[in-house]
Amino acid sequence: YRQNLAAIIPADRSRLPLSPVGITLFLLLSASAVIKDFISQSRELNLTKDRLAFLAYHDDLTGLMNRQALTDRLQQAIAQAQRSQSDTTLGLLMMDLDHFKRINDGIGHDVGDQILTAFANRVKNRVRSSDFFFRIGGDEFAIVLTQLKQPTDAAVVSEKILSSMEDPFLVNDQKLYLGCTIGISIYPKDAQNADQLMIRADSALSEGKRDRNIYRYYTMQMQKDAARKMQLLVKLRAALHNDEFHLVYQPQIAADGSIIGAEALLRWNNPEIGSISPAEFIPMAEETGAIMQIGSWVIEQACAASHFWESIGLPSFPVAVNLSARQLRDERLVSHISGCLRYYGLRPDRLHIEITESSVLDNPEAAIAVLHRLNNLGVHIAIDDFGTGFSSLSYLKELPVDCVKIDRSFFLELPHDNRSSSLLLGIISMIEGLGLSIIAEGVESEGQISFLQTNAPIVVQGYFYSRPLPQDEFIKFVKELSQKSSSQLP
């Protein structure tokens, strides 16, 4: 303040044209301006403090309470329920929007923010004033339902929320439809404290994500599944280093009974746990990224096996390996496959790549570019599980596909169901019209084989001819099949 006055009032006071009264008035006005500025700054500082205090427990976008507030409110609600010693229960709903990442990645984060805000407003209108609503991160939300008379009341709220998702979100004149998945845990039935209640609601949410746009209550089986998953995740990280993986090979048999190929299938046998199903560990490997290293190992082992079969005089046929969505995004994939083929001295057409439609849909442009590079290399490409997706027909035109493997579900009711027979023959005719080869997957019965040999003599892979075999048994199978074919020649 004094420095400001020094800049205004010269040292030689005699040069001032003001009287003592004027000087006093001037000083009072200057002081008033300084005080006013100080008060304004204090108010701004208080507003900033209030804002920071709000953000400590609230989400900036939706205005809802955040994860920290969820923990605090849930602990308070549990403590109050314990003090009341009544039969009242609490419900915790954990939920997120299905496929929300596609909105952010495909349309933009601004649109995503608008949808999150709109969703928050929808849900606010479907919970009671005594309940608490939170945004706990990204597209994740939570609701604490207080004073529930019975656990099934949580389902009523969940159904209201899911019903609201039937209406589209209107953003920039666009109608966007999304689903919502909800996991439910109940106090005191499922857990006695806030942390466990959140963990178990999250487990129920994960279970619901398998089907999506649905609600699921927590069960004890989910806890067992979660514990097993953690155990497998720990073991999975060391499985490749400990030589716990091996390949088995399932023959692909032509209509004349000769072998024309084999599919390499991954198996895991842990010394402590035993045999683990691929349906269980493959999704874990994809989720953690371990599939990249494991997938490279599979390609190398399949190429090594093909080279060995050739060296011992087996008939020449290709070996097929499956690629995951993560592998299709790997820029090193093509060079790795090319290097394996060169190292083992194999022609590119001795290696077949099998992909599912879902693996392409994960990132279509990148996947299609990689597949074209593999096709240009001379590697053959097959669509696996054909008929189980929604866009299979359209992708047959875009992908550099050589072969289509028709899913086993089309063969289950053959030869007795006429509709299944007509549908299958129509699919086979269409694929052949595109100039693509066909493999029937999962063929198991004499009736199925008889129908195909009579109506559509295509390549068959399934238990009717052979289960997937370890390499020694596979070699024996191929030799016996070759001898049988030779003995039948005129």
Side-chain angles (χ1 to χ4, degrees):
Y1 172 71
R2 289 178 178 176
Q3 291 176 348
N4 291 337
L5 288 180
I8 299 172
I9 304 175
D12 185 0
R13 305 293 198 277
S14 63
R15 295 173 57 189
L16 285 170
L18 299 177
S19 64
V21 174
I23 292 174
T24 301
L25 181 60
F26 175 79
L27 292 174
L28 288 173
L29 290 173
S30 299
S32 175
V34 171
I35 293 171
K36 183 178 180 181
D37 183 60
F38 175 77
I39 292 173
S40 176
Q41 291 181 8
S42 297
R43 286 175 178 171
E44 290 180 5
L45 183 60
N46 288 333
L47 288 174
T48 300
K49 288 181 178 179
D50 291 342
R51 179 66 175 165
L52 291 174
F54 177 84
L55 291 178
Y57 285 90
H58 291 80
D59 168 52
D60 191 29
L61 177 65
T62 62
L64 299 175
M65 290 180 285
N66 61 16
R67 182 179 289 274
Q68 179 59 49
L70 169 62
T71 302
D72 292 350
R73 288 299 176 99
L74 194 54
Q75 289 173 340
Q76 292 170 13
I78 290 173
Q80 184 176 354
Q82 290 172 339
R83 286 194 299 270
S84 67
Q85 296 182 344
S86 66
D87 295 332
T88 301
T89 61
L90 302 174
L92 174 62
L93 274 58
M94 302 280 274
M95 52 191 166
D96 66 17
L97 297 175
D98 298 336
H99 304 299
F100 182 74
K101 186 176 184 296
R102 294 181 183 177
I103 298 293
N104 276 341
D105 293 347
I107 304 178
H109 288 269
D110 290 343
V111 172
D113 287 348
Q114 292 179 58
I115 288 176
L116 292 172
T117 303
F119 174 74
N121 291 332
R122 284 188 188 185
V123 176
K124 283 179 187 176
N125 296 326
R126 288 165 174 81
V127 296
R128 301 168 303 173
S129 58
S130 59
D131 299 328
F132 303 102
F133 186 26
F134 309 81
R135 182 190 177 203
I136 56 178
D139 64 328
E140 299 175 89
F141 295 81
I143 300 174
V144 175
L145 301 173
T146 62
Q147 302 175 0
L148 292 181
K149 294 181 180 179
Q150 51 193 1
T152 53
D153 290 344
V156 176
V157 177
S158 299
E159 287 171 354
K160 289 181 180 179
I161 295 171
L162 294 177
S163 177
S164 75
M165 303 304 289
E166 295 175 4
D167 297 325
F169 292 91
L170 300 177
V171 181
N172 300 333
D173 297 326
Q174 285 183 294
K175 290 184 178 181
L176 302 174
Y177 291 87
L178 283 90
C180 174
T181 303
I182 303 172
I184 305 171
S185 62
I186 301 295
Y187 168 86
K189 180 177 74 71
D190 297 327
Q192 301 293 315
N193 59 65
D195 289 340
Q196 284 298 314
L197 208 61
M198 287 189 286
I199 289 171
R200 292 176 177 177
D202 200 50
S203 294
L205 174 62
S206 297
E207 182 70 19
K209 296 299 280 186
R210 297 182 181 182
D211 300 312
R212 298 186 183 275
N213 203 34
I214 200 170
Y215 67 85
R216 285 282 182 265
Y217 277 92
Y218 171 79
T219 64
M220 287 299 294
Q221 185 60 46
M222 292 179 189
Q223 182 178 357
K224 294 177 182 177
D225 291 344
R228 177 172 171 82
K229 183 176 181 180
M230 287 302 300
Q231 181 188 31
L232 291 181
L233 285 172
V234 172
K235 302 291 185 184
L236 183 62
R237 292 187 178 94
L240 190 59
H241 177 73
N242 294 338
D243 294 326
E244 296 174 13
F245 290 118
H246 67 279
L247 297 184
V248 292
Y249 305 90
Q250 188 167 35
Q252 296 168 342
I253 308 299
D256 63 2
S258 63
I259 183 168
I260 59 93
E263 181 180 1
L265 298 164
L266 182 63
R267 296 292 183 264
W268 178 20
N269 190 61
N270 180 268
E272 298 176 15
I273 303 175
S275 179
I276 300 105
S277 167
E280 189 173 15
F281 75 81
I282 291 294
M284 293 183 191
E286 292 179 345
E287 180 183 335
T288 61
I291 194 66
M292 303 298 289
Q293 190 176 5
I294 294 172
S296 296
W297 180 86
V298 169
I299 293 170
E300 293 167 10
Q301 292 299 305
C303 288
S306 183
H307 171 75
F308 178 68
W309 300 337
E310 191 175 88
S311 70
I312 62 174
L314 291 190
S316 179
F317 53 80
V319 60
V321 297
N322 294 277
L323 291 186
S324 70
R326 277 182 176 264
Q327 287 176 280
L328 284 177
R329 295 197 300 266
D330 185 6
E331 296 179 354
R332 301 165 295 179
L333 175 66
V334 177
S335 60
H336 177 69
I337 290 176
S338 177
C340 287
L341 292 171
R342 285 196 307 269
Y343 181 82
Y344 289 104
L346 299 176
R347 298 193 315 272
D349 62 0
R350 292 292 299 275
L351 180 67
H352 287 191
I353 296 298
E354 295 188 5
I355 59 170
T356 61
E357 181 190 356
S358 60
S359 67
V360 176
L361 288 175
D362 187 65
N363 190 340
E365 292 185 4
I368 291 172
V370 169
L371 293 175
H372 274 291
R373 290 175 61 195
L374 287 172
N375 186 255
N376 292 336
L377 188 65
V379 174
H380 286 209
I381 298 167
I383 289 282
D384 199 8
D385 301 331
F386 180 82
T388 59
F390 296 101
S391 308
S392 297
L393 297 179
S394 63
Y395 275 100
L396 282 183
K397 296 187 300 181
E398 297 184 39
L399 297 175
V401 176
D402 303 284
C403 176
V404 173
K405 301 185 73 174
I406 301 178
D407 187 73
R408 65 185 300 272
S409 59
F410 288 92
F411 303 95
L412 292 177
E413 298 183 14
L414 293 182
H416 308 293
D417 186 81
N418 291 332
R419 296 182 66 183
S420 296
S421 302
S422 298
L423 178 60
L424 177 61
L425 292 177
I427 291 173
I428 291 173
S429 177
M430 177 199 67
I431 296 172
E432 289 179 335
L434 295 173
L436 305 176
S437 60
I438 303 172
I439 298 176
E441 285 191 290
V443 176
E444 300 178 356
S445 72
E446 180 72 43
Q448 293 169 347
I449 287 293
S450 177
F451 175 86
L452 290 174
Q453 289 178 339
T454 301
N455 298 279
I458 57 178
V459 176
V460 170
Q461 176 181 338
Y463 273 51
F464 178 80
Y465 285 111
S466 175
R467 62 182 175 83
L469 301 169
Q471 176 150 276
D472 291 345
E473 293 181 35
F474 176 77
I475 292 172
K476 181 181 178 181
F477 174 89
V478 174
K479 288 181 176 179
E480 290 176 353
L481 188 64
S482 299
Q483 291 173 358
K484 182 179 179 181
S485 298
S486 300
S487 64
Q488 292 176 350
L489 292 175

